[in-house]
């Protein structure tokens, strides 16, 4: 048996035989990081959920992503201790608790890679770890500041090395990310099939969750399920429970988690085939695929972002929304009003994964001037996983000053036709390889 069901009722798997090589690579990254920072050991604490204010209920637990990088099953009050040349040690919380379900017993396929020390309470295991100057501690559990010197907790250089290590994915991580795309693609399809007048955003969200088989706290981010003008709100999560009187458009930006790894997928749909909004969706879909095709080793992601603006400008001109050539649209900042967010970001254990804005030495790489929201400025290398998510929106707050300044540049009828539809975004998750990019999301849709 070399496969595991990652999600109990999903007909999808990850290949667990890839995990030992993943962990070996992480130990190499950690050893190099230790030697660079002058520490001898790292303790990575999984975290612990705090209580709501004046309450005895807990905020949902979110694992420290560095812990999740090493350990595929996640529970609170655990720690991984790494020391060069040693088998990693896992301090595993196994409480005697008749109020809550016990954490699952560790499965041999991953647990055999660690020396395991079980403990029952939340903190006394920390006393087994010598707080010498050679120790670095990664985490944010409040117990850590009580137990360790401040200088030992999250030392910047070591943390940066770990973040950089996470930017290139192992085969194990790619298989988890592929599974995350597969789970989300099936759920996206269920929502597309259910789109109809009378459906509310909240009802579509429930359809998504049921099809993905994931509850809210398992999803990698709050689902964006937007109808009509709500599609213009970039992070619309105020899902309405009443259906709109008339249906024009749907934008769904939703992912899934697989062993801690995220997918991040957006699709847009018109309720009226052939209308201008449907044509805009087709145009954004086409230019999105052109951008994905350019994802190559050595590509500066900033250039791809600027290229997206050029392609969007050409589409706006071609659809007679803007009556200026692409260069002039870029010069006047017009595309930045229609497409105000970044082209994409790294993806992994976090939906906006770490180290997108620094070079290999940890120095920051500036965003292009006037593009303050871009989350990835690096040159691409094989093993990066990132999103490509161009969009076009009618956001009056951003458009109005340009309409006032350049009234001849716009086709007001076209803008009025698009306004009730809000906007379009198409987002896929893409793996950089030494050759052609692998579009994990399109592959997942094709495999449904
Ligand atoms: N779902 C958030 C984003 O696309 O970045
Ligand atoms: Mn995204
Ligand atoms: Mn998204």
């Amino acid at each position: 048996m070399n496969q595991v069901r990652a999600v109990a009722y999903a007909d999808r798997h990850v290949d667990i035989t890839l995990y030992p090589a993943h962990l070996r690579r992480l130990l190499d990254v950690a050893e190099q990081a230790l030697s660079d920072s002058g520490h001898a050991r790292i303790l990575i604490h999984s975290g612990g959920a705090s209580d709501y204010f004046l309450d005895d209920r807990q905020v949902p637990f979110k694992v420290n992503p560095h812990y999740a990088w090493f350990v595929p099953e996640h529970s609170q009050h655990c720690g991984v201790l790494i020391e060069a040349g040693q088998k990693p040690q896992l301090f595993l919380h196994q409480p005697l608790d008749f109020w809550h379900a016990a954490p699952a017993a560790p499965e041999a396929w991953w647990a055999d890679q660690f020396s395991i020390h079980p403990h029952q309470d939340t903190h006394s295991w920390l006393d087994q770890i010598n707080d010498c100057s050679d120790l670095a501690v990664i985490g944010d559990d409040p117990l850590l500041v009580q137990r360790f010197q401040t200088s030992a907790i999250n030392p910047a250089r070591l943390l940066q090395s770990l973040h950089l290590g996470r930017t290139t994915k192992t085969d194990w991580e790619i298989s988890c990310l592929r599974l995350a795309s597969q789970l989300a693609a099936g759920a996206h399809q269920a929502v597309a099939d259910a789109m109809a007048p009378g459906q509310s955003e909240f009802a579509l969200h429930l359809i998504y969750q049921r099809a993905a088989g994931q509850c809210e706290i398992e999803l990698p981010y709050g689902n964006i399920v937007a109808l009509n003008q709500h599609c213009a709100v970039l992070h619309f999560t105020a899902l309405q429970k009443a259906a709109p009187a008339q249906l024009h458009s749907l934008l769904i930006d939703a992912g899934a988690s697989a062993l801690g790894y995220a997918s991040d997928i957006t699709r847009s749909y018109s309720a009226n085939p052939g209308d201008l909004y449907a044509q805009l969706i087709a145009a954004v879909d086409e230019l999105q695929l052109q951008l994905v095709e350019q994802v190559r080793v050595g590509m500066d992601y900033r250039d791809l972002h600027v290229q997206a603006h050029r392609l969007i400008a050409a589409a706006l001109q071609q659809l007679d929304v803007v009556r200026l050539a692409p260069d002039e649209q870029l010069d006047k900042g017009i595309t930045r009003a229609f497409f105000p967010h970044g082209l994409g970001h790294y993806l992994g254990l976090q939906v906006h994964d770490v180290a997108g804005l620094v070079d290999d030495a940890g120095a920051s790489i500036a965003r292009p001037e006037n593009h303050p929201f871009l989350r990835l400025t690096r040159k691409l290398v094989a093993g990066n996983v990132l999103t490509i998510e161009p969009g076009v929106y009618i956001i009056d707050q951003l458009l109005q000053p340009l309409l006032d300044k350049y009234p001849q540049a716009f086709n007001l009828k076209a803008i009025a036709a698009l306004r009730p539809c809000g906007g379009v975004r198409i987002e896929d998750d893409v793996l950089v390889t030494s050759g052609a990019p692998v579009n994990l999301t399109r592959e997942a849709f094709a495999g449904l």
Side-chain angles (χ1 to χ4, degrees):
M1 170 85 170
N2 64 0
Q3 301 260 301
V4 62
R5 272 179 198 278
V7 177
Y9 47 88
D11 179 23
R12 304 284 180 184
H13 303 86
V14 286
D15 179 356
I16 59 174
T17 63
L18 299 172
Y19 175 73
H22 163 76
L23 184 62
R24 273 198 302 281
R25 192 225 152 205
L26 268 49
L27 294 173
D28 287 346
V29 170
E31 286 188 19
Q32 185 61 51
L34 283 169
S35 118
D36 292 348
S37 72
H39 295 89
R41 300 169 298 151
I42 316 176
L43 174 68
I44 305 179
H45 191 285
S46 67
S50 54
D51 287 351
Y52 287 106
F53 183 50
L54 300 180
D55 206 328
D56 62 0
R57 292 175 314 116
Q58 291 191 326
V59 175
F61 169 61
K62 255 305 191 198
V63 68
N64 170 357
H66 287 294
Y67 181 89
W69 197 30
F70 284 83
V71 181
E73 287 175 10
H74 314 142
S75 46
Q76 312 182 40
H77 314 302
C78 298
V80 181
L81 184 65
I82 299 157
E83 190 167 352
Q86 307 287 319
K87 190 172 186 178
Q89 301 184 60
L90 180 62
F91 295 86
L92 194 65
H93 188 220
Q94 296 195 306
L96 288 175
D97 178 355
F98 53 85
W99 291 101
H100 306 99
E107 292 186 40
W109 62 267
W110 66 267
D112 285 355
Q113 309 296 321
F114 295 86
S115 300
I116 295 200
H117 313 288
H119 57 268
Q120 291 177 349
D121 67 15
T122 58
H123 55 278
S124 53
W125 64 279
L126 290 166
D127 296 336
Q128 296 175 46
I129 295 159
N130 282 338
D131 182 14
C132 300
S133 59
D134 67 359
L135 176 73
V137 181
I138 305 293
D140 71 343
D141 192 287
L143 287 172
L144 298 178
V145 288
Q146 295 170 25
R147 178 67 186 74
F148 300 106
Q149 296 167 32
T150 317
S151 60
I153 300 172
N154 301 318
R157 178 146 188 216
L158 181 74
L159 199 54
Q160 188 73 268
S161 301
L162 297 180
H163 285 173
L164 286 164
R166 280 173 46 194
T167 63
T168 51
K169 270 50 180 185
T170 62
D171 289 345
W172 162 255
E173 294 181 286
I174 292 163
S175 93
C176 295
L177 287 158
R178 180 170 271 122
L179 175 62
S181 253
Q182 289 167 341
L183 296 174
H188 270 265
Q189 192 58 54
V191 170
D193 293 346
M195 179 190 179
Q199 290 279 27
S200 70
E201 291 158 346
F202 184 66
L204 292 168
H205 165 68
L206 293 181
I207 288 167
Y208 184 93
Q209 281 196 271
R210 187 182 182 95
Q214 301 198 345
C215 59
E216 310 249 13
I217 58 167
E218 290 174 279
L219 293 173
Y221 55 92
N223 276 359
I224 296 166
V225 185
L227 297 175
N228 299 348
Q229 268 194 283
H230 294 162
C231 302
V233 180
L234 301 179
H235 282 171
F236 180 82
T237 51
L239 313 186
Q240 299 296 295
K241 292 183 175 158
Q246 244 198 312
L247 178 64
H248 305 292
S249 59
L250 162 65
L251 182 152
I252 173 160
D253 181 343
S257 297
L259 292 122
Y261 289 84
S263 54
D264 180 10
I265 298 173
T266 309
R267 290 293 181 269
S268 306
Y269 304 96
S270 172
N272 302 297
D275 68 358
L276 181 60
Y277 178 70
Q279 293 170 47
L280 183 62
I281 294 172
V284 175
D285 191 59
E286 191 183 323
L287 70 87
Q288 193 263 5
L289 287 172
Q290 285 179 46
L291 293 163
V292 170
E293 189 46 42
Q294 292 182 61
V295 168
R296 289 288 190 284
V297 168
M299 164 65 83
D300 186 325
Y301 195 83
R302 294 176 296 184
D303 294 343
L304 202 56
H305 173 82
V306 173
Q307 171 74 357
H309 278 265
R310 211 167 287 286
L311 291 171
I312 284 169
L316 290 170
Q317 186 186 30
Q318 208 259 323
L319 292 170
D320 193 27
V321 178
V322 180
R323 292 172 168 162
L324 294 175
D327 279 346
E328 209 176 338
Q329 291 189 46
L330 263 64
D331 288 347
K332 290 182 160 54
I334 287 174
T335 52
R336 286 188 272 118
F338 285 102
F339 172 41
H341 58 78
L343 178 62
H345 47 84
Y346 276 152
L347 179 72
L349 290 160
Q350 289 162 261
V351 66
H352 297 155
D353 218 15
V354 286
L357 299 167
V358 291
D359 66 18
D360 287 341
S364 77
I365 309 174
R367 298 176 168 104
E369 204 183 340
N370 296 322
H371 295 268
F373 303 116
L374 187 58
R375 290 190 172 98
L376 179 52
T377 53
R378 285 168 67 86
K379 280 199 174 133
L380 304 183
V381 297
N384 287 164
V385 175
L386 48 87
T387 68
I388 298 287
E389 48 179 306
V392 174
Y393 314 85
I394 307 298
I395 303 173
D396 287 315
Q397 184 190 337
L398 301 179
L399 266 186
Q400 195 58 50
L402 292 163
L403 291 171
D404 294 342
K405 196 164 173 190
Y406 309 114
Q408 306 304 319
F410 298 90
N411 175 353
L412 296 182
K413 266 174 76 176
I415 288 171
L418 290 173
R419 185 174 284 107
C421 303
V424 172
R425 181 163 64 257
I426 306 286
E427 177 174 25
D428 289 340
D429 304 342
V430 179
L431 167 67
V432 185
T433 78
S434 57
V438 177
N439 188 326
L440 299 172
T441 302
R442 301 265 174 170
E443 275 189 3
F445 277 106
L448 291 178

